[in-house]
Amino acid sequence: MSCPAERRLRKELLELLTNPMPGIYIDEEKVAKNINEWIVTIEGAEKTIYEGETFQLQFSFNEKYPFDSPTVLFIGKIPVHSHIYSNGHICLSILTDDWTPALSVGAVCLSIRSMLSSATKKERPPDDMIYTRTCSKNPKKTKWFFHDDTV
Amino acid sequence: MGNCLASNSTDDLTLLNGRNEGPRESIDQEPVLQFQENVQPTYSQVGTTVHQSLTEDEQIKIAKRIGIVQHLPISQYTHENFQSKKVPSECDICMNDFVVGDSIRYLPCMHQYHVHCVDNWLMRSLTCPSCCEPVDASLLLSSFENV
């Protein structure tokens, strides 16, 4: 990996460790082994339908970060949400089309946590079965259609 | 218009090839010359990889985009910038602090970044990384055509 991406990731890591964001925890050991693979634990926010639950996000960065977006997916227990497929893929525009280099791991986590918080019922996307059977392993290879800004 | 575009694309190809001579002879306007000299090191690397693998159409598209980006103003980060609270102290792309003497590019929305950081992004998307405001391509293109 070239230096600029790594330098920026180290900056982000330092910032998140010195000023932690509520409900968002970085697996420091994992990041220390490989700066290009992060595991972030997200706590369901209070007074939402995910309160008391925790989920894990996996971030993978390539050498073009932050010009290329990270690959982000849920691993382990996948939250039941209308924009999250049962294989962990997330339908969120900032992860592909609307990514900009001014976004960061923190901004993505915040956005995903807020996406969880605004949900009113736990349901899978309507095309979950077909999508998970036919999609690529890499969510960035999916051509997403973003049609619902409410959740 | 024809001449203007033609002269731009020759210059841009020269940039792509990473040669030093060329822009100096074909351009007589001082300000443009300055921009090109500033920008040259940034693009030579992008250009050489692009040069071999892309079709002519794609190369023209990239050359035009370089032309647009070059017209966005650059200035040096000064001690006064450093002291005033109006100018942000870090580049949102690399997240490093601006250092006095750094070359900063100003987008029309007045967001500022290191030239090498934002140029790398603008070659992918003509939008501001912070506010997503389009770097108005049509406006800039029409100003080219009116020259």
Side-chain angles (χ1 to χ4, degrees):
Chain A
M1 150 150 309
S2 73
C3 280
E6 214 173 284
R7 270 204 301 268
R8 199 186 115 147
L9 284 169
R10 294 198 184 285
K11 282 233 155 200
E12 285 192 50
L13 181 63
L14 186 69
E15 173 64 28
L16 283 168
L17 294 178
T18 39
N19 299 309
M21 296 163 72
I24 292 165
Y25 309 97
I26 315 286
D27 182 340
E28 282 179 65
E29 259 178 51
K30 170 93 180 158
V31 183
K33 277 188 201 139
N34 180 0
I35 190 81
N36 304 314
E37 295 282 333
W38 293 32
I39 301 290
V40 181
T41 302
I42 293 212
E43 258 177 20
E46 279 172 33
K47 294 177 189 155
T48 70
I49 55 175
Y50 301 97
E51 181 172 357
E53 293 181 78
T54 58
F55 306 101
Q56 286 198 315
L57 282 170
Q58 178 186 287
F59 283 74
S60 315
F61 306 90
N62 69 20
E63 72 283 355
K64 289 184 190 138
Y65 182 78
F67 300 103
D68 270 9
S69 62
T71 305
V72 185
L73 59 160
F74 278 103
I75 53 170
K77 181 187 160 199
I78 314 290
V80 179
H81 183 283
S82 58
H83 294 172
I84 301 167
Y85 290 90
S86 50
N87 61 356
H89 289 199
I90 307 161
C91 180
L92 180 65
S93 66
I94 58 162
L95 297 180
T96 49
D97 300 14
D98 293 341
W99 170 260
T100 91
L103 290 167
S104 59
V105 175
V108 168
C109 290
L110 194 67
S111 197
I112 291 174
R113 194 161 185 250
S114 120
M115 183 175 106
L116 289 175
S117 298
S118 50
T120 51
K121 74 180 162 189
K122 290 186 181 179
E123 56 183 13
R124 289 277 177 224
D127 57 340
D128 189 52
M129 273 244 273
I130 297 172
Y131 177 76
T132 49
R133 236 186 271 159
T134 56
C135 70
S136 157
K137 267 192 180 167
N138 181 352
K140 281 176 74 178
K141 293 203 171 129
T142 301
K143 177 79 198 116
W144 297 99
F145 291 93
F146 307 106
H147 52 277
D148 176 14
D149 295 334
T150 56
V151 183
Chain B
M1 174 208 149
N3 281 340
C4 183
L5 280 179
S7 93
N8 265 333
S9 65
T10 343
D11 291 337
D12 292 334
L13 281 178
T14 323
L15 290 174
L16 294 178
N17 292 332
R19 285 189 205 124
N20 282 325
E21 63 274 54
R24 212 173 273 275
E25 288 154 17
S26 54
I27 291 207
D28 43 16
Q29 290 163 315
E30 202 50 40
V32 180
L33 178 61
Q34 267 181 347
F35 273 127
Q36 300 228 338
E37 283 186 334
N38 283 342
V39 160
Q40 198 152 345
T42 317
Y43 289 115
S44 52
Q45 198 189 354
V46 180
T48 40
T49 43
V50 151
H51 192 57
Q52 289 129 12
S53 55
L54 296 182
T55 66
E56 199 175 328
D57 278 357
E58 286 167 323
Q59 286 186 38
I60 291 173
K61 199 179 143 196
I62 289 168
K64 279 186 180 168
R65 185 164 284 206
I66 292 175
I68 293 171
V69 171
Q70 280 173 9
H71 279 71
L72 298 167
I74 296 179
S75 79
Q76 306 286 313
Y77 192 75
T78 60
H79 200 64
E80 290 77 58
N81 291 151
F82 178 70
Q83 284 172 332
S84 86
K85 294 277 175 259
K86 282 181 207 157
V87 181
S89 61
E90 72 165 31
C91 170
D92 277 343
I93 297 177
C94 64
M95 295 185 173
N96 288 317
D97 287 345
F98 290 131
V99 176
V100 173
D102 279 356
S103 291
I104 312 288
R105 203 186 280 285
Y106 288 79
L107 302 193
C109 51
M110 292 314 285
H111 283 113
Q112 302 131 46
Y113 309 92
H114 285 125
V115 172
H116 56 271
C117 294
V118 77
D119 285 7
N120 201 337
W121 172 249
L122 292 174
M123 291 309 289
R124 293 158 183 259
S125 166
L126 278 175
T127 54
C128 171
S130 297
C131 65
C132 297
E133 192 69 25
V135 170
D136 202 331
S138 58
L139 187 78
L140 284 159
L141 275 177
S142 67
S143 75
F144 274 125
E145 286 165 7
N146 293 335
V147 171

